Amino acid sequence: CNPGLLWLDHVHFQYNGMLLGLLLASLGLFVRGSQKARTSREYHVCHLTGAFLYALLLTMKHLYLPLAPLYFVYLLSNYCLDQNNKLCLSNLLW
């Protein structure tokens, strides 16, 4: 058993654990934001911070790229469109 490989493997799993934490934090912010009123400031902050965390996650590991269409559809339907499925520019310019 090579101690260098053991150490490298340990660091690799810690890095992946941190990335999984970023993913869960992003999803948690979306859930928290969806429980708020669409007009509240916290709604906007939660969704934009969740999107930022996912973008940060993508810069660290491209393995999470297959989740991008899911994030796109969720943000489009819950943040960019209003109740009548019309584009809500006020959210985009917030």
Side-chain angles (χ1 to χ4, degrees):
C1 184
N2 187 343
L5 289 177
L6 192 62
W7 180 80
L8 181 69
D9 193 45
H10 181 68
V11 170
H12 178 256
F13 282 115
Q14 282 185 341
Y15 182 70
N16 284 338
M18 180 196 68
L19 295 179
L20 185 60
L22 281 176
L23 178 66
L24 293 176
S26 173
L27 293 173
L29 283 167
F30 285 158
V31 169
R32 182 176 178 181
S34 67
Q35 296 170 349
K36 304 296 177 187
R38 282 183 173 245
T39 56
S40 71
R41 186 178 196 292
E42 192 173 357
Y43 176 83
H44 296 288
V45 169
C46 286
H47 280 85
L48 292 177
T49 307
F52 174 77
L53 285 179
Y54 180 70
L56 182 66
L57 177 68
L58 282 181
T59 63
M60 294 182 181
K61 195 161 194 170
H62 70 280
L63 184 66
Y64 294 100
L65 192 59
L67 295 176
L70 299 173
Y71 271 78
F72 175 75
V73 169
Y74 175 80
L75 287 172
L76 181 66
S77 64
N78 288 316
Y79 189 75
C80 299
L81 300 177
D82 63 5
Q83 306 296 352
N84 301 323
N85 289 334
K86 303 250 193 241
L87 189 63
C88 186
L89 294 177
S90 64
N91 283 350
L92 299 176
L93 300 175
W94 185 82

